[in-house]
């Protein structure tokens, strides 16, 4: 008997007996972006699959657009068991599972296929398993795409163009080291503060993938977009440790299946915006430039000192095995 059928059958039986139906389990799912973003699309698919398989056992409540706070606060809510699920970037993840930081190293992945193969392979899955030690369960890697720089000061073609640029970064030490080495003036900041800080001129720019730049309409507050693709931006679908511990094995299997479909939907969204996003942003008035391979190599050289730190933290063997992964 499927969960859906079982749920309906037991609910009808209870009603026929004049008893109240069994309580549903709430699944509060928080994420930083709008319902029509790659996170929103994935969260909707997640709910759809769980509901199709379990009937009305779980009641999803969505909190898009940072409705439950910044990503760090939401992750802490998962650990406490006050929030059941989230889709988050790797922004603050390394504060909880330090090994995740290896995927934040700039110029690590050649393209989306390379990144997806590493995350879905042994290296990525071993790191996902570490979330169980810190009060969460990681269901699957999703993604945002490759991050690009937007700003209001000038077009960026060489590392000299980012000199002193007040650039918002995620609260992520790996990114911070790279932008410091590049000569920018990076300001780590939680996402909910970013738009107002750009509007008020507290910062000149920020960096995010096309999925975010398009869905948040950053063109309304930013003039220049440089397709720097300096770093891949993973995302992860997490559930709370206490919530996961309360599920039986069949329910766990359903959530795992739903997560796989959710991240597939997220990757489809990213594939689409990677092909259409630049045109959309040009139409909306942004000045867009792409870095040539030589220009990109100059940015890569400019962060050589940061790479020394990455090798020390994560081990050169691990970094090289990711770079050379076929
Ligand atoms: O820049 C960030 O903090 C993240 O990429 C965002 C926009 C919150 C999505 O997770």
């Amino acid at each position: 008997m499927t969960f859906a059928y079982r749920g309906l059958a037991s609910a009808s039986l209870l009603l026929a007996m004049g008893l109240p139906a069994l309580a549903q389990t709430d699944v509060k799912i928080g994420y930083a972006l709008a319902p029509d973003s790659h996170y929103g699309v994935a969260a909707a698919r997640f709910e759809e699959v769980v509901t199709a398989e379990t009937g009305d056992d779980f009641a999803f409540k969505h909190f898009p657009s940072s409705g439950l706070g910044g990503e760090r606060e939401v992750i802490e809510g998962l650990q406490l068991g006050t929030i059941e699920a989230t889709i988050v970037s790797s922004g603050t993840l390394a504060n909880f599972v330090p090994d995740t930081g290896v995927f934040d190293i700039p110029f690590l992945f050649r393209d989306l296929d390379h990144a997806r193969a590493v995350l879905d392979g042994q290296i990525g899955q071993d790191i996902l398993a570490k979330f169980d030690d810190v009060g969460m369960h990681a269901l699957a890697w999703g993604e945002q795409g490759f991050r690009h720089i937007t700003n209001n000061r000038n077009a960026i073609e060489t590392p000299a163009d980012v000199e002193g640029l007040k650039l918002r970064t995620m609260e992520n030490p790996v990114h911070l080291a790279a932008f410091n080495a590049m000569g920018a003036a990076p300001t780590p900041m939680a996402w909910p503060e970013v738009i107002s800080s750009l509007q008020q001129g507290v910062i000149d720019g920020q960096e995010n993938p096309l999925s975010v730049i398009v869905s948040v309409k950053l063109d309304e507050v930013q003039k220049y977009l440089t397709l720097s693709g300096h770093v891949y931006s993973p995302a992860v679908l997490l559930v709370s440790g206490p919530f996961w511990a309360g599920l039986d094995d069949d329910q766990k299997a359903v959530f795992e299946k739903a997560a796989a479909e959710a991240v597939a939907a997220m990757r489809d969204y990213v594939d689409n915006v990677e092909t259409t996003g630049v045109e959309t942003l040009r139409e909306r008035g942004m000045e867009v430039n792409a870095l040539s391979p030589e220009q990109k190599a100059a940015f890569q050289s400019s962060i050589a000192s940061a790479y020394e730190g990455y090798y020390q933290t994560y081990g050169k063997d691990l970094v090289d095995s990711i770079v050379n992964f076929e």
Side-chain angles (χ1 to χ4, degrees), residues 36-60:
D36 65 356
S37 68
H38 48 304
Y39 286 0
V41 163
R45 186 74 193 124
F46 190 50
E47 171 179 3
E48 225 169 75
V49 176
V50 171
T51 305
E53 299 274 339
T54 64
D56 53 7
D57 290 355
F58 297 93
F60 276 75

Side-chain angles (χ1 to χ4, degrees), residues 32-33 38-39 66 71 87-91 144 147 168-171 189-192 194 206-209 212 216 233-235:
L33 302 166
H38 48 304
Y39 286 0
S66 307
E71 292 189 329
I87 298 168
V88 282
S89 70
S90 60
Q144 307 210 78
R147 300 178 81 91
R168 177 267 176 176
T169 65
M170 299 199 290
E171 299 163 284
M189 188 183 281
W191 177 250
V194 173
Q206 64 84 54
E207 45 83 60
N208 250 303
V212 176
V216 175
S233 196

Side-chain angles (χ1 to χ4, degrees), residues 151-298:
N151 85 102
N152 282 331
R153 198 183 72 176
N154 49 266
I156 292 168
E157 289 177 352
T158 69
D161 296 325
V162 298
E163 191 69 42
L165 188 74
K166 284 182 277 165
L167 189 79
R168 177 267 176 176
T169 65
M170 299 199 290
E171 299 163 284
N172 180 309
V174 177
H175 288 193
L176 201 54
F179 285 108
N180 272 319
M182 229 180 254
T187 307
M189 188 183 281
W191 177 250
E193 296 161 42
V194 173
I195 304 297
S196 60
S197 301
L198 287 170
Q199 279 165 334
Q200 290 158 17
V202 177
I203 45 175
D204 301 313
Q206 64 84 54
E207 45 83 60
N208 250 303
L210 289 170
S211 55
V212 176
I213 302 170
V214 171
S215 67
V216 175
K217 298 195 172 60
L218 276 172
D219 46 277
E220 291 176 358
V221 286
Q222 294 277 261
K223 179 161 181 209
Y224 301 101
L225 164 62
T226 300
L227 299 171
S228 46
H230 51 278
V231 66
Y232 176 75
S233 196
V236 63
L237 203 170
L238 296 171
V239 290
S240 149
F243 171 76
W244 187 248
L247 300 182
D248 65 32
D249 286 349
D250 290 340
Q251 290 170 323
K252 283 181 178 168
V254 168
F255 274 78
E256 272 159 2
K257 175 179 172 188
E261 294 206 20
V263 300
M266 199 182 324
R267 287 175 176 178
D268 281 352
Y269 183 109
V270 169
D271 281 337
N272 183 46
V273 79
E274 291 283 325
T275 53
T276 59
V278 170
E279 204 40 48
T280 304
L281 293 166
R282 281 206 169 104
E283 278 164 18
R284 293 186 195 161
M286 281 192 107
E287 270 184 39
V288 186
N289 71 296
L291 296 184
S292 66
E294 294 73 28
Q295 287 172 322
K296 223 168 162 168

Side-chain angles (χ1 to χ4, degrees), residues 83-101:
I83 300 171
E84 284 73 32
T86 188
I87 298 168
V88 282
S89 70
S90 60
T92 64
L93 278 190
N95 298 303
F96 299 89
V97 177
D99 291 358
T100 59

